[in-house]
Amino acid sequence: MCYKFAVPKPPANPLDVPLARLRGVGSERAAQLARLKLCTVGDLLFHRPRRYEDRRHVRPVADLRLGEAATARGKIVALGVKRWRHGNRSVFEFILDDGTARLHCRWWDLPFMEKYFQQGDEVLAYGKLVSLKPRTIDHPETEIVEAGEENFLHLNRIVPIYPSTEGVSQRWLRTLVWRALADYEGRIPDPVQKLVGSRPPGSISDAQAAQPSWAAGSPGIRARGPLAVGLPPELAAQDACATSAKAVHLLHFPGEIPEAELARRRLALDEFFELQLEMQRRRKNLRENARGLPCAGDNHLIKPFLKQLRFVLTDAQTKVLREIRRDLGGAQPMRRLLQGDVGAGKTVVAACAALMTVEGGFNVALMTPTEIVAEQHFQTFAGWFGPLGVEVELRTANRKTSHLAPRTSHLAPRNRLFVGTHALIESAFAPDSLGLVIIDEQHKFGVAQRERLVRKGCYPHLLVMTATPIPRTLGLTLYGDLDISVIDRLPAGRGPVKTFLRAADKLPKVFEFIRGKLDQGRQAYIVYPRVEEADRNELKAVAREWERLQKEFAPYQVGLLHGRLKPEEKQRVMADFRANRTHVLVATSVIEVGVDVPNATVMLIENAEQFGLAQVHQLRGRIGRGAHESWCILVADIKTAEARRRLKVLEQTSDGFRIAEEDLKLRGPGEFLGRQQSGLPPFRFGDLSRDRDLVEHARRLAADLVS
Ligand code: ADP
Ligand code: MG
């Protein structure tokens, strides 16, 4: 194997000390902490408080206001459990008196709470008042104030409240963090300072500190020398964030609540920086150790290919192909991300890249996220490449046999295009002279999977195609090691897609509308939210809908497609739809990626509120592929104004980037990227939807360092 990283292993982390070694942590405690994913001293020190409480100004009970979260403190003057015979309900309540008024704290149906409290206990209670007469908080968070020398940790300061678990009290956890800090603070590594330089904190010039963060590292500043990119000014200005250790301290002991946010940002920067550093090192390693295979080709296949294509490439496609060709003929292996909104025409670009490689005398592998897409690409490519004498072979988990496109020319080299799903990354597949790996719809694959496929060859070129427009922050994070090409225009002559949001009671009207389109010779998709393979009930529901829809649309034919079908069945269903033998396709979100049937111009998405925005955008990318006007109808059961506003975005724009940003904001990166392994490391502090500036800063820091 020749794909090796020369990146050195990180040094042993001085914080990798099991928590059981700390005073006061026995095996039982250690097991409880492990449930919080706290196993080492490092885990504990980086345990991020979920909120902070200002206990310098505990609110007098008499001043508590309805609906406003606040902390009160008093003595328990009465307590008890009340039970109802009917309905098996109970309420545990204690009454807190702080001298100004009484506060009722209630817990519904948790009678065992009684055992945690006693009359006379002094208690801090945090929550929102639900009534004034009497003053009541339901299910407050509480902490018993005990006499003890460590009370300065728990009172009269901004106090961190940690994610916790049964049996682990805030008080105990706080004390443990405090002790660990005392012993280990000096050993907390600082990736940024350690690597960027030994410049003492605070030595950044005023002029530089006055720069907005995006300007740090711009050419004018960079000219000062290798250390030009330091911490972002906002962090550099705070001595309390000068090192990671100080930031960790601040995280647990902020002087004011905004300081905790600064600490979070400093630690987020560290996380982003380490990730970027790894990516840049990988790049550098590739640059220095890998030679690109000569795959630029000589046009003898591409020329006839473009001639027989039923359309002309757009300027955007041509521009991207020029970039790809330069890479394929370059000294280093290509590492390129091709972004283009759904329907932008990435497939034909992939085809050209594959042909260049085959012209150069190498094989190509094309990996897709689903079998349906693999099958479809196989059909498309076999149709395109067959006449050129280039063999295309399909490999999926269910079908290892090869399907060869007919060879008509004996002049062509015997190189092949392999099309497949995950099966391609399984070990048996290792074609000779693999020149190019193309990954379609990348966001479904993790970075690790990408690496594994590339390792199949000796530094083959890599082209990653994604249809989900990835917001820039996420792009830099996920693809910091790739160059980026964008197809920024859809092919001309596309009918527009009109999107409408409708309530469920309008379905009959919607069906009538669809029938009208079928009468005009068009086809339609009807999509139901994700029916996971596992869920038999949901599957039944879709099957029932299908029966109903067959009656609804008779005599038109209605097909059914879902993930549980056998591969041959899926192929049959898709083939029928493609050939217009079925007119309506009822489907689960398996059609989300890559399916291409230009005559289908209507898409009805039921329960649209259950999809992410980016996913609906993907789905509706299945229509509007031909010259006809297309219609996407979102039927949703909308209960909140927020859900409505969210789906309205889809009505208003077809700009995939805007939709993706919106989705990222609403759902966070994990959900945005899908349930499957997103390839992203789990950030403790970083927040990709808020910390865009930090990601970019980290990237600059890493680039500066590595070069
Ligand atoms: P995606 O980028 O979503 O993968 P496809 O590659 O599937 O998009 O292309 C969508 C449709 O547009 C296909 O039917 C394809 O044949 C067609 N197409 C691609 N390029 C052009 C072009 N330059 N002019 C017209 N149609 C095109
Ligand atoms: Mg595609």
Side-chain angles (χ1 to χ4, degrees), residues 10 16-17 57 105 176 367 394 426 500 534 585 658 664 676:
D16 274 348
V17 177
H57 310 289
C105 294
L176 192 69
M367 189 156 85
L394 180 66
E426 261 130 48
F500 296 101
L585 186 62
R658 235 202 87 198
L664 182 62
Q676 278 140 319

Side-chain angles (χ1 to χ4, degrees), residues 80-137:
V81 180
K82 216 186 284 173
R83 291 176 204 272
W84 286 266
R85 246 173 288 144
H86 294 296
N88 206 15
R89 299 213 67 185
S90 73
V91 64
F92 164 67
E93 181 175 70
F94 64 61
I95 300 172
L96 218 55
D97 193 327
D98 73 345
T100 68
R102 289 186 160 198
L103 176 65
H104 293 243
C105 294
R106 296 190 299 195
W107 286 263
W108 294 92
D109 300 323
L110 299 169
F112 60 85
M113 291 295 292
E114 189 178 18
K115 69 174 189 246
Y116 297 122
F117 300 96
Q118 283 180 355
Q119 188 154 356
D121 276 353
E122 190 166 353
V123 175
L124 288 153
Y126 170 86
K128 282 182 194 165
L129 222 55
V130 292
S131 93
L132 272 171
K133 279 181 190 161
R135 291 182 176 81
T136 306
I137 301 183

Side-chain angles (χ1 to χ4, degrees), residues 309-315 317 340-349 376-377 380 384 440-441 465-467 487 490-492 494 594-598 621-622 625-626:
L309 211 56
R310 60 178 168 82
F311 49 77
V312 185
L313 294 187
T314 63
D315 289 350
Q317 286 168 320
D341 211 339
V342 280
K346 295 180 291 295
T347 316
V348 70
V349 169
Q376 177 180 287
H377 277 339
T380 307
W384 279 341
D440 193 10
E441 313 291 356
M465 306 199 291
T466 174
I487 305 183
L490 298 185
R494 286 285 167 80
V595 170
D596 185 24
V597 180
R622 302 305 120 216
R625 297 192 150 235

Side-chain angles (χ1 to χ4, degrees), residues 372-388:
I372 291 176
V373 178
E375 176 74 28
Q376 177 180 287
H377 277 339
F378 171 68
Q379 305 264 340
T380 307
F381 283 88
W384 279 341
F385 289 8
L388 304 168

